Amino acid sequence: MGGGPSRLGLPRLLMAVALVLLALCGFGVHGRNHIHKKPHGGGGGGGRQHRGGGTVVSSPAVPPADEQTQPPGIVPSDPAIPAQPEQCVFDVRAFGAVGDGTTDDTEAFRAAWRAACAVESAVISVPSDGTFTITTTTFTGPCKPGLVFQVDGVLMPPDGPDCWPPSDNRRQWLVFSNLDGLTLCGAGTIEGNGEGWWNLPCKPHRGPNGSTLRGPCDSPTLVRFFMSRNLVVEGLRVENSPEFHFRFDGCSDVRVDGLSIRSPANSPNTDGIHVENTQRVAIYNSMISNGDDCISIGTGSYDVDIQNVSCGPGHGISIGSLGVHNSQACVANVTVRNAVIRNSDNGLRIKTWQGGMGSVSGISFDTVSMENVRNCIIIDQYYCLDKRCMNQSTAVHVTDVSYANVRGSYDVRAAPIHFACSDTVPCTNITMSEVELLPFSGELVDDPFCWSAYGLQQTPTIPPIYCLQDGLPDSFLDNPDLRCR
């Protein structure tokens, strides 16, 4: 008889373990919903209210067997089919956000981030029926895998420098730091409220009588990613940034897809996407119009792939500027393919300061359409902001640059092809193939400019470019200052 209590206790123990497991699955967590991902083509499902204010949305009903389609060789019971993870949705309103466009919702966003960061496959939801204002915030990891920050409404900073909290950083607004696997997405808008920043008298030509006044001129980058990897940014509309719209610093494995970035053509320093010290970057299927570089690539950037991007107005796609203050700069393996550049001050540009070191190499511009672009193809190793820069004997080496299938029209105020390379560190291995550039209006400018530029015309170009020198110079081939990696 002494064994009776043990036998009765086992079922109770198993029941207790089951209840603990249910609790660990998130039952009773305040301010979040549980959503099962819908399969493609699935119907709607029922939902039920759960303890703690969250909602469990059940999976869609399974269609009859004769309506189901399965990949060849896989049956529904095949254990190789992975289960789709449950997503926990954290609506910022459940943490106190108001979304009326004037209330400061910063603390609600920070609380939602802290809660979501601790849960796997979490979604921070910015709902579509609100306009949310938050001040400078750094969203820091590490977080659990699968974190999504979904903006379906409007998210914006305070309206201009006069409304910026004095204690807040004036160089950045939203920062995502030390993260692995974050997705920033949504059907909403990130509105930068940048006009007040553009009109500061320290901005170019915004002072009295068109002057530019000296003094501090800090303006915030709208969205910055720092020291993070496996990032996805997709689907958003981003507009009117005070300065850069997006900046990636010290990141790796980045995918940007389907963005719309817009600021006025006269908005200063509003680069669309800036990449620096970042590797393995894909920028796809995006439209960018602004007052500065459409995409700019800074030092330490490798393996950057840009495809199906439309730029303009703006300053085109730029590598650089590089080598400022006699620094070393290294950029390699950048591809631009199937791009369109319209009504821009520059098209495809590489710009470096005199006195720098390092190299730009492995650059491919392939199938690019130009429309009314000034300086369609330009390498400028004499980049200088105020024309008072002194000649120096070192430079960032530009080599292995190819232009293929570049066609369209240029603004006749400048030659469509301009290679201004260093006397001591010439540009080398420039190749031109199927380049055809005609004037948008006015007379044909048929004098491309070359200085210390070595390369090859693989096919005749329009206008003809006879100024490329053959072969390689041997004066600098063993220079250690030109080596990267």
Side-chain angles (χ1 to χ4, degrees):
M1 298 296 290
S6 298
R7 287 193 299 270
L8 291 173
L10 182 58
R12 294 174 181 169
L13 177 61
L14 292 176
M15 180 64 72
V17 170
L19 290 173
V20 170
L21 290 175
L22 287 174
L24 290 175
C25 288
F27 283 66
V29 176
H30 175 70
R32 82 186 191 202
N33 300 326
H34 296 273
I35 297 178
H36 295 272
K37 289 185 178 178
K38 297 180 181 179
H40 294 295
R48 65 184 186 276
Q49 195 68 27
H50 217 305
R51 288 180 294 149
T55 302
V56 175
V57 181
S58 57
S59 298
V62 178
D66 58 353
E67 296 180 16
Q68 297 182 33
T69 59
Q70 298 291 338
I74 295 184
V75 297
S77 60
D78 193 330
I81 301 176
Q84 296 197 21
E86 183 181 275
Q87 285 188 312
C88 301
V89 178
F90 295 78
D91 188 322
V92 294
R93 282 205 172 108
F95 293 85
V98 177
D100 60 1
T102 57
T103 301
D104 182 355
D105 290 324
T106 306
E107 290 307 316
F109 273 74
R110 292 174 179 173
W113 177 269
R114 288 192 295 269
C117 182
V119 176
E120 190 168 339
S121 299
V123 178
I124 298 171
S125 174
V126 181
S128 60
D129 60 346
T131 298
F132 299 87
T133 301
I134 67 173
T135 59
T136 298
T137 300
T138 298
F139 296 110
T140 304
C143 294
K144 295 288 187 179
L147 181 58
V148 175
F149 196 115
Q150 183 161 328
V151 180
D152 291 322
V154 177
L155 181 59
M156 64 185 188
D159 189 8
D162 292 340
C163 298
W164 207 260
S167 60
D168 276 12
N169 190 329
R170 293 171 71 94
R171 298 294 301 276
Q172 53 198 21
W173 176 51
L174 293 187
V175 182
F176 295 93
S177 176
N178 193 28
L179 294 162
D180 186 350
L182 174 71
T183 296
L184 174 63
C185 63
T189 299
I190 299 178
E191 166 59 55
N193 289 331
E195 185 173 2
W197 299 93
W198 307 331
N199 292 326
L200 290 172
C202 57
K203 298 291 185 177
H205 314 298
R206 301 301 171 94
N209 301 316
S211 63
T212 302
L213 300 185
R214 293 187 176 274
C217 206
D218 291 342
S219 301
T221 292
L222 201 59
V223 182
R224 182 187 183 207
F225 295 89
F226 180 68
M227 298 300 290
S228 297
R229 62 183 182 176
N230 298 315
L231 302 170
V232 176
V233 182
E234 60 184 3
L236 289 165
R237 178 184 178 93
V238 185
E239 56 190 26
N240 300 320
S241 176
E243 204 163 90
F244 292 6
H245 288 77
F246 284 96
R247 183 180 180 113
F248 295 89
D249 286 306
C251 298
S252 63
D253 301 291
V254 175
R255 181 183 177 93
V256 175
D257 200 344
L259 295 186
S260 172
I261 298 174
R262 297 180 63 86
S263 290
N266 65 347
S267 56
N269 307 121
T270 53
D271 293 39
I273 300 171
H274 180 75
V275 177
E276 189 151 333
N277 293 311
T278 295
Q279 296 81 48
R280 298 180 297 280
V281 180
I283 302 173
Y284 297 154
N285 309 313
S286 296
M287 301 183 66
I288 303 172
S289 60
N290 57 354
D292 211 298
D293 293 335
C294 170
I295 298 171
S296 55
I297 299 170
T299 186
S301 299
Y302 301 97
D303 304 321
V304 180
D305 187 31
I306 301 168
Q307 294 191 43
N308 301 318
V309 169
S310 176
C311 298
H315 294 180
I317 297 174
S318 292
I319 297 174
S321 61
L322 303 173
V324 66
H325 304 312
N326 306 104
S327 61
Q328 184 182 60
C330 300
V331 173
N333 302 332
V334 177
T335 299
V336 177
R337 185 182 296 113
N338 297 325
V340 177
I341 303 175
R342 297 185 177 95
N343 303 314
S344 295
D345 286 351
N346 300 286
L348 307 171
R349 177 166 62 158
I350 300 173
K351 51 182 178 177
T352 71
W353 295 78
Q354 291 192 77
M357 297 172 286
S359 70
V360 176
S361 63
I363 312 300
S364 173
F365 301 108
D366 188 355
T367 313
V368 180
S369 175
M370 307 272 188
E371 182 181 326
N372 192 28
V373 174
R374 191 176 183 182
N375 300 312
C376 294
I377 294 173
I378 178 169
I379 298 176
D380 182 8
Q381 289 192 290
Y382 297 88
Y383 183 71
C384 181
L385 294 179
D386 57 13
K387 299 184 179 180
R388 293 182 295 177
C389 301
M390 302 293 293
N391 285 335
Q392 299 191 48
S393 60
T394 61
V396 177
H397 182 207
V398 178
T399 186
D400 299 329
V401 183
S402 68
Y403 302 90
N405 301 300
V406 179
R407 293 181 167 88
S409 60
Y410 62 90
D411 183 327
V412 298
R413 289 177 295 172
I417 301 171
H418 186 97
F419 296 136
C421 302
S422 167
D423 289 319
T424 54
V425 187
C427 303
T428 58
N429 201 21
I430 299 170
T431 59
M432 311 284 288
S433 174
E434 303 295 334
V435 174
E436 182 177 315
L437 298 168
L438 299 171
F440 182 74
S441 62
E443 296 290 328
L444 177 72
V445 175
D446 60 356
D447 56 346
F449 176 82
C450 301
W451 184 265
S452 283
Y454 290 75
L456 175 67
Q457 275 191 93
Q458 294 180 331
T459 65
T461 64
I462 300 176
I465 179 167
Y466 302 121
C467 54
L468 280 176
Q469 301 181 57
D470 294 332
L472 291 171
D474 53 15
S475 59
F476 67 99
L477 295 181
D478 295 324
N479 189 338
D481 292 337
L482 307 181
R483 297 172 188 164
C484 286
R485 285 190 163 182

